Amino acid sequence: KVLGLKEIGISDHGFAHPAFGLNKGKIPSLVKDCREATKLTGVNVLVGVESNIIGTDGTVDLKPKLYDNFDIFLAGFHKFVLYKPGTLFSTFIPNFLRSTFKSKTASKGLIKRNTKAYINVIKNNPVDIITHINFCCYSDPVEVAKCAADYGTYIELNSKKTHLTDEVAAKLNKGCEA
């Protein structure tokens, strides 16, 4: 509040992380803590979740019955997540190997699957923000940005994760203006 903030979002990774992330049983205390922080500070504290993309069909680990608990809904690809059957070998393992070994390229098929997954997530869920696009996976970020613009979904540009060049980030904006 002293710095002039009017609103802030608090989020943790979704439920498909076996070792860490948000526990469904702790949702009520998270909501309570954020609501109390809003009252105490006068800064609107939004309850968020950074859900995990777990299927190329757009499946995420945040189910519709839990939507009302959250003010902001983020989604992204993450490592070491419990993926839907079939997605592990077709998507996760190829992405994991390429990102682990710092490969600069991916097959056209993998890029197409990842792009389709992002687009399906946007189309099939009320996602507010796609997180760190192309981190841990390869896609056509311009195509994802076009879909995001159509659905009012933001794309996070994360300076900590250097998986997008300045040139690609500029293309994201141009792709949305087209």
Side-chain angles (χ1 to χ4, degrees), residues 44-117:
N44 189 26
V45 180
L46 302 173
V47 181
V49 62
E50 184 178 353
S51 65
N52 299 289
I53 298 171
I54 59 173
T56 55
D57 61 354
T59 304
V60 294
D61 62 352
L62 179 62
K63 303 303 176 211
K65 66 183 179 183
L66 296 175
Y67 287 171
D68 290 343
N69 293 291
F70 298 97
D71 303 311
I72 51 174
F73 180 171
L74 302 91
F77 273 106
H78 299 102
K79 295 179 181 180
F80 310 115
V81 169
L82 301 173
Y83 288 90
K84 283 181 70 173
T87 305
L88 178 67
F89 293 105
S90 70
T91 306
F92 172 71
I93 290 176
N95 282 321
F96 176 76
L97 292 173
R98 281 174 177 74
S99 66
T100 299
F101 295 109
K102 309 288 188 226
S103 175
K104 299 282 186 193
T105 61
S107 71
K108 289 180 182 179
L110 182 59
I111 291 169
K112 186 176 180 179
R113 282 192 301 280
N114 292 333
T115 302
K116 179 181 176 184

Side-chain angles (χ1 to χ4, degrees), residues 135-155:
F135 179 70
C136 300
C137 68
Y138 297 85
S139 70
D140 181 340
V142 173
E143 286 304 310
V144 176
K146 288 177 185 178
C147 179
D150 289 344
Y151 283 79
T153 301
Y154 291 93
I155 293 181

